[in-house]
Structure formats: structure tokens, C-alpha cells
Amino acid sequence: MLKKVLIMLTLGSILSSCATYKPSNVSDLCNILSEEDWYEAALESQEEWGTPIHVQLAIMHQESKFNRTIRPEMEWFLGFIPVGRPSDAYGYAQALESTWETYVKSTGNWNAKRDEFDDAIHFIGWYTYNTHKKLGVSKWDAKKQYLAYHEGWGGYKRGTYRGKAWLLKVSDKVKVRSLDYARQYKRCRAELDDSLRGWF
């Protein structure tokens, strides 16, 4: 009986640590995916939706820096009266509640949560897949994918990003980061694959 209790406590501790895992270096893809569950989820999303891991992670980095509970900053009137947040974006992917609901209905992933990495990475995969399907944007084009992610499919089609110099600069940063992540992935892919096989 004691042995069973100890096993359950150990499993609980492992699951808890996975749920609260946060990369120590968000600029290094190898560090980000050193948690086996995260690497497995990223691979599954890439396989299902066709968007490369480095593009998905570059978008997630820009949106949340891998902070699972982040929200847009509160806006204040006169510096001390809270007037609310500019949007209801939340979680790793900073997904809007309405867009998240569309994703859930589209995929049937009814238990998906915005503050769970595996669900958030699949959301980004789903979104970028649909950006490619609706707008013809390459799944490998991190810059354009991010612009569509930020502006929405309708906004991207209308070219709303063209009048936002700050957003174009941000999308350039996402592009550069995706290229950095791609190089890093080449360096550690074999090690990540080995660790995943060892996990099973």
C-alpha cells in the first residue's frame, strides 16, 4: 500500500512539474523544448498542421515569451482608475477568446486551455494552417504568418498592417527569431529525438 502511495506521489510531482515548466532561456529553441512533453506537442502540431516548429515557436515567443498566464496590460484612466484590458487575449498564444472558441469547435478539442502549452502550440499550428489555406501565405514564412496572426485573416487581406510601421518591425523580429530557432533546432534535433525516445 505504501509503495502505491509513493508511486502516485511521484507521478503527481512529475505531472505538476510539467504543467508549470517554463524555459530558462526563451531565446534558445533547444532549451525551450528540453521538456519532453513540450517537444512531443510541438512535433505533433508540426505533423498535423504542417507549420515548422521554429515558425510556431517564434510566434509564441513574440506573443507571450512562454508565460502561460500573461494578459494584455491593464489600461488606466488618470493613472489610477482601471478601465480594463484592451482585449481578452490570454495564455501562451495570446489567443482571443472568440478565436479560441472557433479553434475548439473546428478541431473538437473541447478540453483545450489557453494556458496549456500543448493546446496553445496546436492552436498556432491550426491558425497558420488556415492562414495558408485562406490567404496563400507559406507556412514557412514567419513574417507574413505573424502579420496574419496579429491582424486576423480579414485584416491581413485588407492590408491593415501596411499602415503600422511598428508592427512591420515586430514581424521582422519574428522572422529573424524563426531563422535563429531553425538553426538551433538543427543543432539539437538528434538529442531531442533521443530524449523523446528515452521518455517512452
Side-chain angles (χ1 to χ4, degrees):
M1 181 66 178
L2 179 61
K3 187 175 181 181
K4 288 182 178 179
V5 171
L6 289 173
I7 291 172
M8 292 300 292
L9 288 172
T10 301
L11 286 173
S13 176
I14 291 172
L15 292 174
S16 175
S17 66
C18 290
T20 58
Y21 169 76
K22 184 177 180 181
S24 58
N25 183 359
V26 297
S27 296
D28 182 6
L29 176 141
C30 302
N31 179 263
I32 294 165
L33 296 180
S34 62
E35 168 57 55
E36 290 89 346
D37 283 354
W38 279 33
Y39 184 45
E40 182 183 6
L43 281 174
E44 288 176 353
S45 182
Q46 177 179 258
E47 182 177 344
E48 182 170 358
W49 303 111
T51 303
I53 288 176
H54 62 271
V55 172
Q56 296 186 60
L57 290 181
I59 291 173
M60 186 177 285
H61 177 281
Q62 180 58 44
E63 291 299 279
S64 69
K65 305 294 189 294
F66 304 96
N67 181 341
R68 65 182 299 187
T69 59
I70 193 169
R71 298 178 186 272
E73 291 186 8
M74 181 69 71
E75 294 183 342
W76 303 83
F77 177 66
L78 299 178
F80 65 93
I81 302 173
V83 295
R85 302 179 193 277
S87 79
D88 60 10
Y90 175 71
Y92 289 113
Q94 285 296 279
L96 297 173
E97 189 171 338
S98 59
T99 313
W100 189 263
E101 288 175 358
T102 301
Y103 158 72
V104 168
K105 290 176 183 176
S106 174
T107 61
N109 189 9
W110 302 105
N111 294 319
K113 297 178 180 178
R114 289 183 286 174
D115 57 4
E116 294 291 341
F117 177 83
D118 57 343
D119 295 328
I121 195 77
H122 275 261
F123 171 82
I124 292 175
W126 168 84
Y127 199 97
T128 52
Y129 166 84
N130 279 284
T131 296
H132 172 69
K133 186 177 178 181
K134 294 172 184 288
L135 304 171
V137 175
S138 170
K139 299 173 188 176
W140 292 76
D141 191 332
K143 177 183 174 71
K144 291 181 179 178
Q145 281 287 350
Y146 182 73
L147 289 172
Y149 191 88
H150 188 277
E151 297 295 275
W153 297 313
Y156 183 87
K157 194 171 183 178
R158 294 191 303 273
T160 55
Y161 57 88
R162 294 192 184 101
K164 300 178 180 179
W166 64 269
L167 179 58
L168 291 171
K169 288 180 180 178
V170 170
S171 66
D172 284 334
K173 289 181 180 179
V174 174
K175 176 182 178 179
V176 170
R177 186 167 301 281
S178 75
L179 295 174
D180 287 343
Y181 278 170
R183 285 190 288 270
Q184 293 162 2
Y185 187 40
K186 286 181 181 179
R187 186 184 75 234
C188 64
R189 182 174 181 176
E191 183 180 346
L192 288 170
D193 287 341
D194 286 344
S195 69
L196 194 60
R197 283 191 288 269
W199 179 256
F200 289 106

